Amino acid sequence: METKWLEDFISLVETNNFSRSAALRHVTQPAFSRRIQSLENWLGTDLVDRTSYPTRLTPAGTVFYEQALEMLAQINGARDMLRSKRAAAQTSIDLAVPHTLSLTFVPKWLTGLERDFAPISSRLMALNVHDAVLQLVEGGCDLLLCYHHPRQPVQLDPGRYDMLVLGRESLRPYARSDKNRVPELTLPGTKKAPLPFLSYTNNAYLGRMVELILGDAKTPPHLEPRYETDMAEGLKMMALEGRGVAFLPESAVTRELKHKLLAPADNDSAEWQIEMEIRLYRERPSPSRRGKAIVERLWDFLEQRQHDGPRKRRVAVSER
């Protein structure tokens, strides 16, 4: 039996809805249903009455619900006890971060924190967005840093997780440029001469952002897929070789723009751009799960800095 099966079953009891629980657990509904069935197979009995709607437990499911709560509490309690002993001897912060942000945003962000807050020891896990979110949900990290857009949200329960917006950046197309900053390729292309397109894989978060851009564009784009990967750095290297147009976060191309190696391939048209938030999440501390003291101090510092920022700007304006 896997611990996540217990968490799935408890979620199902609390929501009475397979679709809602699947969304909260960050899996598809078919996958969520299979995990509930795996738990039932392990127990050797049905827990859910599938002949009724809304979802209802069988008598065995009602009995097992209380047992599941107790078992999960014991497991989490043992884990927290061992982690607290380990954490007492160290002050490292575990970060789960998507690949792109780990290369572009995190280094400068940590440098700024060491200047304004304190020296920080950190352990970074570079993952795709889905796996990074799961690291936070399953207690595998202290902080989650990721992109967010209202039409592709990170679905974390605001009653359980705290969130801060650390910044914003745009995603737009780029292509190799000449010394005058003129791109070799520009959108939208034509039917006779479609643009070579460097794209993200289907499971990449930035790929879904690109789909939104292309789907909303008033001008039909003419693109011919030539290369695919889930990492923005891989697309950037191909764009630098002149292999096609790639949609990249602005923080990923700062140096290339400065040295006139890449240029925006959108004619400064807003229809080929989208803005994303850079968000930081943590599990809200509770009496049973206090978390690391260094994380609590850092979060308080970041909250205070965000609170003071607008007020300082207002003072500066009034003094003028």
Side-chain angles (χ1 to χ4, degrees), residues 171-187 195 198 236 239-242 244-250 252-269 272-273:
L171 181 72
R172 63 189 300 190
Y174 295 89
R176 188 168 66 179
S177 70
D178 61 21
K179 295 181 180 180
N180 295 318
R181 303 182 189 273
V182 176
E184 295 179 352
L185 305 166
T186 55
L187 287 168
L195 301 181
L198 310 174
K236 182 176 73 174
L240 287 169
E241 291 294 323
V245 174
F247 283 80
L248 301 167
E250 58 185 329
V253 296
T254 303
R255 184 174 302 173
E256 287 75 17
L257 294 177
K258 179 180 178 181
H259 294 288
K260 304 178 182 179
L261 301 175
L262 292 177
D266 52 19
N267 287 314
D268 290 324
S269 174
W272 306 113
Q273 305 173 29

mmCIF file of all heavy atoms in Angstrom, residues 171-187 195 198 236 239-242 244-250 252-269 272-273:
data_model
loop_
_atom_site.group_PDB
_atom_site.id
_atom_site.type_symbol
_atom_site.label_atom_id
_atom_site.label_comp_id
_atom_site.label_asym_id
_atom_site.label_seq_id
_atom_site.Cartn_x
_atom_site.Cartn_y
_atom_site.Cartn_z
ATOM 1 N N LEU A 171 6.319 36.017 -21.772
ATOM 2 C CA LEU A 171 6.743 34.960 -22.676
ATOM 3 C C LEU A 171 6.429 35.429 -24.081
ATOM 4 O O LEU A 171 5.289 35.805 -24.374
ATOM 5 C CB LEU A 171 5.977 33.670 -22.357
ATOM 6 C CG LEU A 171 6.308 32.423 -23.186
ATOM 7 C CD1 LEU A 171 7.681 31.896 -22.789
ATOM 8 C CD2 LEU A 171 5.243 31.356 -22.987
ATOM 9 N N ARG A 172 7.438 35.460 -24.954
ATOM 10 C CA ARG A 172 7.242 35.962 -26.314
ATOM 11 C C ARG A 172 8.197 35.238 -27.261
ATOM 12 O O ARG A 172 9.144 34.583 -26.820
ATOM 13 C CB ARG A 172 7.438 37.472 -26.371
ATOM 14 C CG ARG A 172 8.847 37.929 -26.022
ATOM 15 C CD ARG A 172 8.979 39.435 -25.866
ATOM 16 N NE ARG A 172 8.620 40.171 -27.066
ATOM 17 C CZ ARG A 172 8.847 41.493 -27.213
ATOM 18 N NH1 ARG A 172 9.423 42.183 -26.231
ATOM 19 N NH2 ARG A 172 8.509 42.099 -28.329
ATOM 20 N N PRO A 173 7.982 35.350 -28.575
ATOM 21 C CA PRO A 173 8.837 34.624 -29.527
ATOM 22 C C PRO A 173 10.152 35.361 -29.811
ATOM 23 O O PRO A 173 10.188 36.598 -29.864
ATOM 24 C CB PRO A 173 7.978 34.561 -30.786
ATOM 25 C CG PRO A 173 7.119 35.783 -30.710
ATOM 26 C CD PRO A 173 6.850 36.006 -29.249
ATOM 27 N N TYR A 174 11.203 34.575 -30.003
ATOM 28 C CA TYR A 174 12.522 35.114 -30.337
ATOM 29 C C TYR A 174 13.121 34.308 -31.486
ATOM 30 O O TYR A 174 12.800 33.137 -31.682
ATOM 31 C CB TYR A 174 13.467 35.055 -29.137
ATOM 32 C CG TYR A 174 13.043 35.925 -27.977
ATOM 33 C CD1 TYR A 174 12.197 35.426 -26.989
ATOM 34 C CD2 TYR A 174 13.472 37.243 -27.874
ATOM 35 C CE1 TYR A 174 11.801 36.221 -25.915
ATOM 36 C CE2 TYR A 174 13.087 38.039 -26.809
ATOM 37 C CZ TYR A 174 12.249 37.526 -25.843
ATOM 38 O OH TYR A 174 11.847 38.319 -24.794
ATOM 39 N N ALA A 175 14.002 34.984 -32.231
ATOM 40 C CA ALA A 175 14.738 34.328 -33.317
ATOM 41 C C ALA A 175 16.135 34.929 -33.380
ATOM 42 O O ALA A 175 16.399 36.002 -32.814
ATOM 43 C CB ALA A 175 14.009 34.509 -34.652
ATOM 44 N N ARG A 176 17.034 34.251 -34.059
ATOM 45 C CA ARG A 176 18.394 34.778 -34.209
ATOM 46 C C ARG A 176 18.347 36.121 -34.926
ATOM 47 O O ARG A 176 17.516 36.338 -35.826
ATOM 48 C CB ARG A 176 19.254 33.790 -34.998
ATOM 49 C CG ARG A 176 20.727 34.175 -35.027
ATOM 50 C CD ARG A 176 21.581 33.045 -35.557
ATOM 51 N NE ARG A 176 21.300 32.752 -36.974
ATOM 52 C CZ ARG A 176 21.941 31.821 -37.671
ATOM 53 N NH1 ARG A 176 22.887 31.085 -37.090
ATOM 54 N NH2 ARG A 176 21.637 31.612 -38.943
ATOM 55 N N SER A 177 19.220 37.036 -34.530
ATOM 56 C CA SER A 177 19.195 38.385 -35.097
ATOM 57 C C SER A 177 20.540 38.749 -35.712
ATOM 58 O O SER A 177 21.563 38.108 -35.443
ATOM 59 C CB SER A 177 18.846 39.407 -34.017
ATOM 60 O OG SER A 177 19.903 39.542 -33.088
ATOM 61 N N ASP A 178 20.515 39.811 -36.518
ATOM 62 C CA ASP A 178 21.773 40.337 -37.046
ATOM 63 C C ASP A 178 22.285 41.413 -36.092
ATOM 64 O O ASP A 178 21.711 41.654 -35.024
ATOM 65 C CB ASP A 178 21.583 40.872 -38.463
ATOM 66 C CG ASP A 178 20.574 42.023 -38.533
ATOM 67 O OD1 ASP A 178 20.312 42.674 -37.487
ATOM 68 O OD2 ASP A 178 20.039 42.278 -39.634
ATOM 69 N N LYS A 179 23.373 42.074 -36.473
ATOM 70 C CA LYS A 179 23.983 43.069 -35.590
ATOM 71 C C LYS A 179 23.116 44.302 -35.393
ATOM 72 O O LYS A 179 23.383 45.118 -34.503
ATOM 73 C CB LYS A 179 25.353 43.463 -36.135
ATOM 74 C CG LYS A 179 26.366 42.315 -36.130
ATOM 75 C CD LYS A 179 27.714 42.754 -36.652
ATOM 76 C CE LYS A 179 28.703 41.604 -36.630
ATOM 77 N NZ LYS A 179 30.051 42.006 -37.148
ATOM 78 N N ASN A 180 22.117 44.475 -36.206
ATOM 79 C CA ASN A 180 21.190 45.610 -36.071
ATOM 80 C C ASN A 180 19.936 45.242 -35.289
ATOM 81 O O ASN A 180 18.946 45.965 -35.304
ATOM 82 C CB ASN A 180 20.794 46.119 -37.460
ATOM 83 C CG ASN A 180 21.975 46.690 -38.220
ATOM 84 O OD1 ASN A 180 22.805 47.400 -37.661
ATOM 85 N ND2 ASN A 180 22.080 46.356 -39.506
ATOM 86 N N ARG A 181 19.984 44.090 -34.619
ATOM 87 C CA ARG A 181 18.866 43.588 -33.814
ATOM 88 C C ARG A 181 17.643 43.246 -34.653
ATOM 89 O O ARG A 181 16.512 43.270 -34.163
ATOM 90 C CB ARG A 181 18.471 44.594 -32.714
ATOM 91 C CG ARG A 181 19.598 44.967 -31.763
ATOM 92 C CD ARG A 181 19.103 45.922 -30.693
ATOM 93 N NE ARG A 181 20.186 46.467 -29.905
ATOM 94 C CZ ARG A 181 20.720 45.900 -28.821
ATOM 95 N NH1 ARG A 181 20.234 44.737 -28.426
ATOM 96 N NH2 ARG A 181 21.704 46.460 -28.168
ATOM 97 N N VAL A 182 17.846 42.932 -35.907
ATOM 98 C CA VAL A 182 16.736 42.546 -36.784
ATOM 99 C C VAL A 182 16.633 41.019 -36.786
ATOM 100 O O VAL A 182 17.603 40.336 -37.128
ATOM 101 C CB VAL A 182 16.948 43.056 -38.212
ATOM 102 C CG1 VAL A 182 15.823 42.565 -39.122
ATOM 103 C CG2 VAL A 182 17.016 44.574 -38.229
ATOM 104 N N PRO A 183 15.494 40.454 -36.398
ATOM 105 C CA PRO A 183 15.368 38.995 -36.347
ATOM 106 C C PRO A 183 15.317 38.388 -37.746
ATOM 107 O O PRO A 183 14.798 38.998 -38.688
ATOM 108 C CB PRO A 183 14.044 38.785 -35.606
ATOM 109 C CG PRO A 183 13.251 40.023 -35.895
ATOM 110 C CD PRO A 183 14.261 41.141 -35.955
ATOM 111 N N GLU A 184 15.863 37.195 -37.876
ATOM 112 C CA GLU A 184 15.836 36.507 -39.163
ATOM 113 C C GLU A 184 14.434 36.029 -39.515
ATOM 114 O O GLU A 184 14.105 35.863 -40.689
ATOM 115 C CB GLU A 184 16.784 35.307 -39.126
ATOM 116 C CG GLU A 184 18.255 35.698 -38.973
ATOM 117 C CD GLU A 184 19.157 34.479 -38.911
ATOM 118 O OE1 GLU A 184 18.623 33.343 -38.833
ATOM 119 O OE2 GLU A 184 20.389 34.646 -38.946
ATOM 120 N N LEU A 185 13.600 35.812 -38.510
ATOM 121 C CA LEU A 185 12.234 35.322 -38.708
ATOM 122 C C LEU A 185 11.277 36.147 -37.859
ATOM 123 O O LEU A 185 11.621 36.551 -36.749
ATOM 124 C CB LEU A 185 12.131 33.846 -38.285
ATOM 125 C CG LEU A 185 13.096 32.862 -38.946
ATOM 126 C CD1 LEU A 185 13.097 31.545 -38.185
ATOM 127 C CD2 LEU A 185 12.705 32.637 -40.398
ATOM 128 N N THR A 186 10.075 36.395 -38.381
ATOM 129 C CA THR A 186 9.057 37.107 -37.610
ATOM 130 C C THR A 186 7.694 36.474 -37.858
ATOM 131 O O THR A 186 7.389 36.028 -38.970
ATOM 132 C CB THR A 186 8.982 38.606 -37.990
ATOM 133 O OG1 THR A 186 8.776 38.725 -39.404
ATOM 134 C CG2 THR A 186 10.239 39.347 -37.585
ATOM 135 N N LEU A 187 6.900 36.439 -36.803
ATOM 136 C CA LEU A 187 5.537 35.945 -36.908
ATOM 137 C C LEU A 187 4.674 36.921 -37.699
ATOM 138 O O LEU A 187 4.946 38.115 -37.696
ATOM 139 C CB LEU A 187 4.954 35.747 -35.501
ATOM 140 C CG LEU A 187 5.515 34.545 -34.726
ATOM 141 C CD1 LEU A 187 5.096 34.635 -33.272
ATOM 142 C CD2 LEU A 187 5.048 33.239 -35.327
ATOM 143 N N LEU A 195 6.991 29.370 -40.776
ATOM 144 C CA LEU A 195 8.205 29.546 -39.991
ATOM 145 C C LEU A 195 8.599 28.237 -39.303
ATOM 146 O O LEU A 195 7.745 27.531 -38.765
ATOM 147 C CB LEU A 195 7.976 30.618 -38.916
ATOM 148 C CG LEU A 195 7.569 32.017 -39.393
ATOM 149 C CD1 LEU A 195 7.403 32.946 -38.187
ATOM 150 C CD2 LEU A 195 8.597 32.582 -40.351
ATOM 151 N N LEU A 198 10.207 26.007 -33.000
ATOM 152 C CA LEU A 198 10.870 25.275 -31.925
ATOM 153 C C LEU A 198 9.898 25.248 -30.745
ATOM 154 O O LEU A 198 9.638 26.279 -30.130
ATOM 155 C CB LEU A 198 12.171 25.971 -31.537
ATOM 156 C CG LEU A 198 13.109 26.316 -32.710
ATOM 157 C CD1 LEU A 198 14.306 27.135 -32.224
ATOM 158 C CD2 LEU A 198 13.567 25.040 -33.415
ATOM 159 N N LYS A 236 16.266 27.734 -26.620
ATOM 160 C CA LYS A 236 17.101 28.923 -26.837
ATOM 161 C C LYS A 236 18.360 28.581 -27.630
ATOM 162 O O LYS A 236 18.739 29.317 -28.547
ATOM 163 C CB LYS A 236 17.479 29.554 -25.489
ATOM 164 C CG LYS A 236 18.304 30.824 -25.644
ATOM 165 C CD LYS A 236 18.590 31.478 -24.303
ATOM 166 C CE LYS A 236 19.616 30.716 -23.504
ATOM 167 N NZ LYS A 236 20.006 31.442 -22.262
ATOM 168 N N ALA A 239 17.444 28.220 -31.196
ATOM 169 C CA ALA A 239 17.172 29.530 -31.801
ATOM 170 C C ALA A 239 18.477 30.259 -32.109
ATOM 171 O O ALA A 239 18.606 30.917 -33.150
ATOM 172 C CB ALA A 239 16.287 30.360 -30.878
ATOM 173 N N LEU A 240 19.460 30.148 -31.212
ATOM 174 C CA LEU A 240 20.753 30.794 -31.440
ATOM 175 C C LEU A 240 21.463 30.226 -32.661
ATOM 176 O O LEU A 240 22.264 30.914 -33.305
ATOM 177 C CB LEU A 240 21.643 30.629 -30.199
ATOM 178 C CG LEU A 240 21.269 31.479 -28.986
ATOM 179 C CD1 LEU A 240 22.045 31.037 -27.756
ATOM 180 C CD2 LEU A 240 21.530 32.960 -29.276
ATOM 181 N N GLU A 241 21.165 28.978 -32.993
ATOM 182 C CA GLU A 241 21.744 28.351 -34.175
ATOM 183 C C GLU A 241 20.968 28.705 -35.443
ATOM 184 O O GLU A 241 21.302 28.236 -36.534
ATOM 185 C CB GLU A 241 21.775 26.837 -34.002
ATOM 186 C CG GLU A 241 22.755 26.347 -32.948
ATOM 187 C CD GLU A 241 24.192 26.622 -33.330
ATOM 188 O OE1 GLU A 241 24.504 26.517 -34.548
ATOM 189 O OE2 GLU A 241 24.994 26.953 -32.448
ATOM 190 N N GLY A 242 19.904 29.510 -35.283
ATOM 191 C CA GLY A 242 19.119 29.898 -36.442
ATOM 192 C C GLY A 242 18.166 28.827 -36.926
ATOM 193 O O GLY A 242 17.737 28.848 -38.080
ATOM 194 N N GLY A 244 15.059 28.261 -35.892
ATOM 195 C CA GLY A 244 13.643 28.578 -35.890
ATOM 196 C C GLY A 244 13.259 29.599 -34.846
ATOM 197 O O GLY A 244 14.119 30.237 -34.223
ATOM 198 N N VAL A 245 11.943 29.752 -34.671
ATOM 199 C CA VAL A 245 11.364 30.678 -33.695
ATOM 200 C C VAL A 245 11.035 29.914 -32.422
ATOM 201 O O VAL A 245 10.471 28.814 -32.469
ATOM 202 C CB VAL A 245 10.087 31.333 -34.248
ATOM 203 C CG1 VAL A 245 9.398 32.174 -33.181
ATOM 204 C CG2 VAL A 245 10.404 32.189 -35.458
ATOM 205 N N ALA A 246 11.367 30.497 -31.269
ATOM 206 C CA ALA A 246 11.080 29.874 -29.975
ATOM 207 C C ALA A 246 10.445 30.891 -29.042
ATOM 208 O O ALA A 246 10.886 32.046 -28.995
ATOM 209 C CB ALA A 246 12.354 29.314 -29.355
ATOM 210 N N PHE A 247 9.427 30.463 -28.315
ATOM 211 C CA PHE A 247 8.825 31.311 -27.281
ATOM 212 C C PHE A 247 9.608 31.103 -25.988
ATOM 213 O O PHE A 247 9.695 29.978 -25.480
ATOM 214 C CB PHE A 247 7.356 30.941 -27.073
ATOM 215 C CG PHE A 247 6.445 31.458 -28.154
ATOM 216 C CD1 PHE A 247 6.346 30.803 -29.367
ATOM 217 C CD2 PHE A 247 5.691 32.607 -27.945
ATOM 218 C CE1 PHE A 247 5.506 31.280 -30.368
ATOM 219 C CE2 PHE A 247 4.854 33.090 -28.934
ATOM 220 C CZ PHE A 247 4.754 32.424 -30.154
ATOM 221 N N LEU A 248 10.159 32.190 -25.454
ATOM 222 C CA LEU A 248 11.037 32.095 -24.297
ATOM 223 C C LEU A 248 10.690 33.146 -23.250
ATOM 224 O O LEU A 248 10.269 34.261 -23.598
ATOM 225 C CB LEU A 248 12.495 32.287 -24.726
ATOM 226 C CG LEU A 248 13.031 31.299 -25.771
ATOM 227 C CD1 LEU A 248 14.364 31.794 -26.329
ATOM 228 C CD2 LEU A 248 13.174 29.913 -25.164
ATOM 229 N N PRO A 249 10.858 32.838 -21.957
ATOM 230 C CA PRO A 249 10.690 33.851 -20.911
ATOM 231 C C PRO A 249 11.764 34.912 -21.064
ATOM 232 O O PRO A 249 12.898 34.619 -21.426
ATOM 233 C CB PRO A 249 10.865 33.059 -19.613
ATOM 234 C CG PRO A 249 10.704 31.626 -19.996
ATOM 235 C CD PRO A 249 11.184 31.513 -21.401
ATOM 236 N N GLU A 250 11.397 36.149 -20.761
ATOM 237 C CA GLU A 250 12.342 37.251 -20.952
ATOM 238 C C GLU A 250 13.607 37.086 -20.124
ATOM 239 O O GLU A 250 14.702 37.468 -20.553
ATOM 240 C CB GLU A 250 11.665 38.583 -20.632
ATOM 241 C CG GLU A 250 11.111 38.686 -19.223
ATOM 242 C CD GLU A 250 10.349 39.976 -18.995
ATOM 243 O OE1 GLU A 250 10.704 40.985 -19.630
ATOM 244 O OE2 GLU A 250 9.410 39.973 -18.196
ATOM 245 N N ALA A 252 15.216 34.509 -19.600
ATOM 246 C CA ALA A 252 16.100 33.502 -20.197
ATOM 247 C C ALA A 252 16.956 34.059 -21.328
ATOM 248 O O ALA A 252 17.901 33.403 -21.771
ATOM 249 C CB ALA A 252 15.273 32.318 -20.711
ATOM 250 N N VAL A 253 16.626 35.260 -21.814
ATOM 251 C CA VAL A 253 17.321 35.782 -22.997
ATOM 252 C C VAL A 253 17.973 37.142 -22.742
ATOM 253 O O VAL A 253 18.360 37.819 -23.689
ATOM 254 C CB VAL A 253 16.338 35.890 -24.193
ATOM 255 C CG1 VAL A 253 15.847 34.511 -24.594
ATOM 256 C CG2 VAL A 253 15.166 36.804 -23.875
ATOM 257 N N THR A 254 18.104 37.534 -21.484
ATOM 258 C CA THR A 254 18.673 38.855 -21.166
ATOM 259 C C THR A 254 20.046 39.044 -21.798
ATOM 260 O O THR A 254 20.324 40.062 -22.450
ATOM 261 C CB THR A 254 18.773 39.027 -19.637
ATOM 262 O OG1 THR A 254 17.485 38.858 -19.054
ATOM 263 C CG2 THR A 254 19.305 40.409 -19.294
ATOM 264 N N ARG A 255 20.917 38.081 -21.620
ATOM 265 C CA ARG A 255 22.286 38.193 -22.142
ATOM 266 C C ARG A 255 22.295 38.168 -23.672
ATOM 267 O O ARG A 255 23.037 38.915 -24.323
ATOM 268 C CB ARG A 255 23.135 37.051 -21.591
ATOM 269 C CG ARG A 255 24.599 37.117 -21.977
ATOM 270 C CD ARG A 255 25.372 36.024 -21.271
ATOM 271 N NE ARG A 255 25.244 36.112 -19.823
ATOM 272 C CZ ARG A 255 25.714 35.191 -18.983
ATOM 273 N NH1 ARG A 255 26.333 34.119 -19.459
ATOM 274 N NH2 ARG A 255 25.563 35.345 -17.682
ATOM 275 N N GLU A 256 21.464 37.311 -24.261
ATOM 276 C CA GLU A 256 21.434 37.174 -25.719
ATOM 277 C C GLU A 256 20.904 38.446 -26.389
ATOM 278 O O GLU A 256 21.358 38.812 -27.485
ATOM 279 C CB GLU A 256 20.564 35.977 -26.104
ATOM 280 C CG GLU A 256 21.196 34.622 -25.805
ATOM 281 C CD GLU A 256 21.184 34.270 -24.323
ATOM 282 O OE1 GLU A 256 20.408 34.897 -23.560
ATOM 283 O OE2 GLU A 256 21.947 33.380 -23.921
ATOM 284 N N LEU A 257 19.955 39.118 -25.740
ATOM 285 C CA LEU A 257 19.452 40.387 -26.281
ATOM 286 C C LEU A 257 20.519 41.477 -26.178
ATOM 287 O O LEU A 257 20.699 42.275 -27.103
ATOM 288 C CB LEU A 257 18.190 40.815 -25.538
ATOM 289 C CG LEU A 257 16.956 39.924 -25.717
ATOM 290 C CD1 LEU A 257 15.813 40.440 -24.856
ATOM 291 C CD2 LEU A 257 16.525 39.876 -27.181
ATOM 292 N N LYS A 258 21.205 41.501 -25.069
ATOM 293 C CA LYS A 258 22.249 42.507 -24.860
ATOM 294 C C LYS A 258 23.345 42.396 -25.912
ATOM 295 O O LYS A 258 23.850 43.413 -26.420
ATOM 296 C CB LYS A 258 22.845 42.355 -23.457
ATOM 297 C CG LYS A 258 23.950 43.348 -23.152
ATOM 298 C CD LYS A 258 24.494 43.146 -21.738
ATOM 299 C CE LYS A 258 25.625 44.115 -21.446
ATOM 300 N NZ LYS A 258 26.193 43.908 -20.072
ATOM 301 N N HIS A 259 23.708 41.179 -26.257
ATOM 302 C CA HIS A 259 24.793 40.956 -27.220
ATOM 303 C C HIS A 259 24.285 40.793 -28.653
ATOM 304 O O HIS A 259 25.046 40.356 -29.535
ATOM 305 C CB HIS A 259 25.605 39.731 -26.808
ATOM 306 C CG HIS A 259 26.353 39.913 -25.516
ATOM 307 N ND1 HIS A 259 27.456 40.721 -25.396
ATOM 308 C CD2 HIS A 259 26.125 39.403 -24.279
ATOM 309 C CE1 HIS A 259 27.909 40.695 -24.149
ATOM 310 N NE2 HIS A 259 27.119 39.892 -23.442
ATOM 311 N N LYS A 260 23.018 41.109 -28.878
ATOM 312 C CA LYS A 260 22.415 41.111 -30.219
ATOM 313 C C LYS A 260 22.484 39.747 -30.892
ATOM 314 O O LYS A 260 22.690 39.627 -32.104
ATOM 315 C CB LYS A 260 23.098 42.160 -31.108
ATOM 316 C CG LYS A 260 23.073 43.563 -30.538
ATOM 317 C CD LYS A 260 23.807 44.544 -31.445
ATOM 318 C CE LYS A 260 23.829 45.941 -30.845
ATOM 319 N NZ LYS A 260 24.569 46.905 -31.707
ATOM 320 N N LEU A 261 22.292 38.702 -30.090
ATOM 321 C CA LEU A 261 22.287 37.351 -30.624
ATOM 322 C C LEU A 261 20.873 36.883 -30.948
ATOM 323 O O LEU A 261 20.673 36.084 -31.864
ATOM 324 C CB LEU A 261 22.937 36.389 -29.633
ATOM 325 C CG LEU A 261 24.390 36.704 -29.253
ATOM 326 C CD1 LEU A 261 24.873 35.758 -28.174
ATOM 327 C CD2 LEU A 261 25.276 36.632 -30.488
ATOM 328 N N LEU A 262 19.912 37.368 -30.190
ATOM 329 C CA LEU A 262 18.495 37.087 -30.419
ATOM 330 C C LEU A 262 17.729 38.395 -30.446
ATOM 331 O O LEU A 262 18.186 39.416 -29.912
ATOM 332 C CB LEU A 262 17.921 36.196 -29.307
ATOM 333 C CG LEU A 262 18.400 34.741 -29.213
ATOM 334 C CD1 LEU A 262 17.774 34.065 -28.001
ATOM 335 C CD2 LEU A 262 18.059 33.963 -30.482
ATOM 336 N N ALA A 263 16.552 38.359 -31.047
ATOM 337 C CA ALA A 263 15.675 39.534 -31.083
ATOM 338 C C ALA A 263 14.222 39.051 -31.051
ATOM 339 O O ALA A 263 13.923 37.942 -31.513
ATOM 340 C CB ALA A 263 15.917 40.369 -32.342
ATOM 341 N N PRO A 264 13.327 39.860 -30.498
ATOM 342 C CA PRO A 264 11.906 39.482 -30.520
ATOM 343 C C PRO A 264 11.431 39.275 -31.949
ATOM 344 O O PRO A 264 11.754 40.054 -32.843
ATOM 345 C CB PRO A 264 11.214 40.679 -29.866
ATOM 346 C CG PRO A 264 12.272 41.302 -29.004
ATOM 347 C CD PRO A 264 13.554 41.123 -29.759
ATOM 348 N N ALA A 265 10.654 38.200 -32.138
ATOM 349 C CA ALA A 265 10.185 37.860 -33.482
ATOM 350 C C ALA A 265 8.699 38.124 -33.633
ATOM 351 O O ALA A 265 7.998 37.404 -34.341
ATOM 352 C CB ALA A 265 10.487 36.390 -33.764
ATOM 353 N N ASP A 266 8.197 39.173 -32.938
ATOM 354 C CA ASP A 266 6.755 39.434 -32.931
ATOM 355 C C ASP A 266 6.379 40.828 -33.427
ATOM 356 O O ASP A 266 5.229 41.243 -33.303
ATOM 357 C CB ASP A 266 6.194 39.244 -31.527
ATOM 358 C CG ASP A 266 6.963 40.046 -30.469
ATOM 359 O OD1 ASP A 266 7.670 41.005 -30.839
ATOM 360 O OD2 ASP A 266 6.857 39.708 -29.287
ATOM 361 N N ASN A 267 7.363 41.588 -33.956
ATOM 362 C CA ASN A 267 7.087 42.961 -34.411
ATOM 363 C C ASN A 267 6.458 43.804 -33.308
ATOM 364 O O ASN A 267 5.651 44.705 -33.568
ATOM 365 C CB ASN A 267 6.167 42.952 -35.642
ATOM 366 C CG ASN A 267 6.882 42.490 -36.900
ATOM 367 O OD1 ASN A 267 7.997 42.926 -37.188
ATOM 368 N ND2 ASN A 267 6.263 41.567 -37.625
ATOM 369 N N ASP A 268 6.822 43.507 -32.051
ATOM 370 C CA ASP A 268 6.294 44.222 -30.877
ATOM 371 C C ASP A 268 4.771 44.170 -30.783
ATOM 372 O O ASP A 268 4.143 45.058 -30.213
ATOM 373 C CB ASP A 268 6.758 45.690 -30.880
ATOM 374 C CG ASP A 268 8.244 45.814 -30.595
ATOM 375 O OD1 ASP A 268 8.754 45.014 -29.788
ATOM 376 O OD2 ASP A 268 8.893 46.694 -31.194
ATOM 377 N N SER A 269 4.189 43.137 -31.315
ATOM 378 C CA SER A 269 2.730 42.968 -31.247
ATOM 379 C C SER A 269 2.367 42.201 -29.986
ATOM 380 O O SER A 269 2.885 41.113 -29.726
ATOM 381 C CB SER A 269 2.223 42.218 -32.471
ATOM 382 O OG SER A 269 0.844 41.929 -32.345
ATOM 383 N N TRP A 272 1.258 38.253 -29.584
ATOM 384 C CA TRP A 272 2.177 37.115 -29.518
ATOM 385 C C TRP A 272 2.877 37.030 -28.161
ATOM 386 O O TRP A 272 3.915 36.372 -28.038
ATOM 387 C CB TRP A 272 3.215 37.206 -30.628
ATOM 388 C CG TRP A 272 2.631 37.340 -32.002
ATOM 389 C CD1 TRP A 272 2.718 38.414 -32.831
ATOM 390 C CD2 TRP A 272 1.841 36.367 -32.708
ATOM 391 N NE1 TRP A 272 2.043 38.176 -34.001
ATOM 392 C CE2 TRP A 272 1.490 36.917 -33.957
ATOM 393 C CE3 TRP A 272 1.393 35.080 -32.399
ATOM 394 C CZ2 TRP A 272 0.728 36.235 -34.894
ATOM 395 C CZ3 TRP A 272 0.633 34.396 -33.333
ATOM 396 C CH2 TRP A 272 0.307 34.977 -34.561
ATOM 397 N N GLN A 273 2.355 37.702 -27.154
ATOM 398 C CA GLN A 273 2.990 37.730 -25.844
ATOM 399 C C GLN A 273 1.974 37.382 -24.763
ATOM 400 O O GLN A 273 0.773 37.564 -24.945
ATOM 401 C CB GLN A 273 3.568 39.124 -25.559
ATOM 402 C CG GLN A 273 4.536 39.639 -26.616
ATOM 403 C CD GLN A 273 4.935 41.080 -26.380
ATOM 404 O OE1 GLN A 273 4.956 41.550 -25.247
ATOM 405 N NE2 GLN A 273 5.268 41.786 -27.456
#
